[in-house]
Amino acid sequence: MSDIERLLADAARSTEAGPSAETIEADVQRGRAGLARKRRTRLIASSVGATLAAGALAGSALVWTDAVDTDPAGPADAGRDRVTGPAQPTDSPTRKSTGVSLVAWSGEQPEGFIVDKVPDGWFIQGSNEFSLTIAPNGDTTHPDNFMGKLVVTVYSKSEQKKLPDDGTPVQVGEWPGVVTHRDQAVLHYQDDNGNWVHIQAPARLGWSDRQLADFGETVAVTDAARPGIG
Amino acid sequence: MRWKRDSAAWEDEFRTFVAHSRSSLLRAATLLSAGNSHRAEDLVQIVMLRMYLNWRRIRPGTREQYARKILTNAHIDDRRRSHTRHEEACAEPPDVAVVQPAPTDPDAAVFRALAELPPRMRATVILRHVLDVSVADTADALGCSEGNVKSQTAHGLDRLRAALSESPPDETRGPAVPTPTEARRNHT
């Protein structure tokens, strides 16, 4: 070892005394406060989304009223305005943000996953080392029947190389993700272990892409999960 | 409730991690900050906060690696922000000029030499030669190639060697030499 390497290896050794119990607890408290801040921010964001959705609906009603009451071209043209006008809430993200809310999951944790929250009125129906199925209360179909259910699956690095190009970019915690809308909404992101996580959300949840990403943040894939093939 | 029990369990795991890793992270942060202990503590708090927020997503075997990655990124991000390059403002300037003391303390001499390195080069040298991180893991932490890590390490060591040979450190450790900022604080 050269002198310079020895100097570096010995430098700042005075900081190496172990942390006190107070210091450790302070780190925990800062973490809890950070988590609470994060949750508050999400709550505010979803409230703003709901307000915007209400605003969009109100705007739609105004356009309807104006069109019927004052449009000189008559009801036929007014009807066309209603279809093409910007206030139509047909498929806007804000409208979708009024979907089923998430509630804390207090039941058994599933194999291969850690779940903090589930949609209100839904339960963890089953899991194995490849996938997790969350279904509406009362659903008695087999957990491997994914139709109309919220499903988390894990894929290996060899199965997927990158995020899809044809989706909406979202942030899942610290991970970049994409929501695709082919047959249904699917969130894709790669976790720290290099596994690709797919979360399929049925339309009945009424979730926006952001709400799907928020759910993604509350699910963790553990070492017990095994990436599926294809 | 099972969920609450799990929550308490992972917080205990986090506490164990803090107890085990905080000191080595603080040492690395102190060197990354070129001896600025306040900045080092800030960096470690950032690391612990992000570790807490993502705890259950991080594979147990990669926690140390993940923490080092956060630390180096936080250090590099911090140095990129222009406001941190500005001089610190103080209500009353000192009455007398601050005399830069001779670097008789080995740590102070190393800190001064490290301060002359660009942030990424400094991080590379510290990861490799202080934390004893492999070339591959250093490349992963810094988001660069292994070849880049090797060249940055070699250049960094050369520059440190040159800087320290100009002011050879005293082998007997004396009292810590204050930085100019600390000297101003002590004066007021």
Side-chain angles (χ1 to χ4, degrees):
Chain A
M1 184 183 276
S2 69
D3 281 352
I4 186 70
E5 287 171 291
R6 185 172 51 78
L7 276 172
L8 281 171
D10 290 342
R13 287 278 183 204
S14 59
T15 60
E16 285 200 323
S20 65
E22 289 78 18
T23 304
I24 296 170
E25 210 48 41
D27 281 330
V28 172
Q29 292 303 327
R30 272 188 290 272
R32 285 177 182 166
L35 202 55
R37 266 198 309 277
K38 201 171 167 182
R39 285 175 177 159
R40 269 200 306 275
T41 307
R42 280 197 211 137
L43 189 65
I44 290 166
S46 63
S47 301
V48 169
T51 306
L52 287 172
L57 285 168
S60 170
L62 283 174
V63 169
W64 176 278
T65 307
D66 287 351
V68 169
D69 291 348
T70 63
D71 194 329
D77 286 337
R80 192 159 57 242
D81 281 346
R82 284 201 299 277
V83 173
T84 58
Q88 286 293 328
T90 48
D91 199 26
S92 69
T94 49
R95 179 168 170 260
K96 288 182 180 175
S97 69
T98 55
V100 179
S101 58
L102 292 170
V103 294
W105 172 251
S106 57
E108 289 290 313
Q109 286 293 338
E111 177 188 4
F113 302 86
I114 299 171
V115 180
D116 274 359
K117 295 185 177 184
V118 297
D120 196 5
W122 291 52
F123 73 113
I124 294 179
Q125 191 179 42
S127 76
N128 55 35
E129 52 191 355
F130 309 107
S131 65
L132 161 70
T133 310
I134 300 174
N137 288 343
D139 187 306
T140 54
T141 58
H142 194 278
D144 286 345
N145 175 358
F146 296 159
M147 289 295 290
K149 298 175 189 174
L150 185 59
V151 181
V152 183
T153 43
V154 189
Y155 291 86
S156 68
K157 280 180 274 191
S158 60
E159 290 300 309
Q160 184 169 349
K161 301 296 180 195
K162 63 184 184 69
L163 287 169
D165 298 324
D166 59 341
T168 310
V170 289
Q171 197 69 21
V172 188
E174 298 203 345
W175 295 270
V178 159
V179 178
T180 56
H181 296 273
R182 292 164 192 159
D183 297 332
Q184 56 196 326
V186 179
L187 168 67
H188 306 244
Y189 71 94
Q190 189 174 26
D191 71 10
D192 270 348
N193 299 334
N195 295 323
W196 287 93
V197 182
H198 290 191
I199 303 180
Q200 160 195 310
R204 69 166 84 172
L205 283 170
W207 281 353
S208 66
D209 294 346
R210 182 62 253 161
Q211 284 175 300
L212 177 51
D214 285 346
F215 171 72
E217 286 188 42
T218 69
V219 178
V221 179
T222 72
D223 284 350
R226 294 280 177 274
I229 309 273
Chain B
M1 302 272 277
R2 170 68 184 268
W3 185 77
K4 287 196 180 297
R5 280 206 309 275
D6 286 344
S7 175
W10 74 255
E11 264 197 355
D12 283 344
E13 277 183 17
F14 175 77
R15 284 189 182 90
T16 306
F17 170 81
V18 175
H20 178 258
S21 306
R22 202 178 204 284
S23 300
S24 64
L25 287 168
L26 184 59
R27 179 165 173 250
T30 303
L31 290 163
L32 285 168
S33 309
N36 184 331
S37 57
H38 301 290
R39 183 60 206 144
E41 177 61 28
D42 283 350
L43 285 174
V44 173
Q45 287 185 14
I46 289 169
V47 173
M48 293 308 179
L49 176 61
R50 292 189 187 163
M51 289 298 290
Y52 185 98
L53 293 178
N54 294 294
W55 187 255
R56 283 172 292 175
R57 290 175 178 275
I58 308 168
R59 186 190 285 178
T62 63
R63 283 170 185 158
E64 301 276 348
Q65 190 182 344
Y66 194 81
R68 285 196 300 265
K69 199 167 182 172
I70 299 172
L71 177 65
T72 48
N73 286 336
H75 157 68
I76 291 166
D77 287 349
D78 178 63
R79 301 316 300 169
R80 280 186 190 140
R81 287 189 201 107
S82 58
H83 72 269
T84 58
R85 295 189 191 124
H86 296 170
E87 292 179 4
E88 287 182 33
C90 57
E92 293 182 17
D95 293 333
V96 295
V98 177
V99 178
Q100 189 81 358
T104 52
D105 176 59
D107 278 2
V110 172
F111 292 154
R112 286 198 184 88
L114 284 170
E116 298 301 316
L117 299 185
R120 288 181 73 84
M121 186 181 284
R122 196 188 310 167
T124 311
V125 170
I126 289 165
L127 286 170
R128 292 284 294 121
H129 290 283
V130 177
L131 296 180
D132 204 20
V133 178
S134 70
V135 172
D137 285 349
T138 303
D140 178 60
L142 290 165
C144 62
S145 68
E146 293 187 18
N148 189 253
V149 168
K150 289 174 187 170
S151 67
Q152 290 268 311
T153 308
H155 287 310
L157 287 178
D158 283 348
R159 287 176 65 164
L160 286 176
R161 197 171 286 116
L164 288 167
S165 64
E166 286 169 9
S167 53
D170 190 343
E171 290 300 319
T172 57
R173 291 179 177 238
V177 179
T179 63
T181 305
E182 287 166 345
R184 278 198 296 277
R185 282 200 193 107
N186 294 340
H187 183 78
T188 56

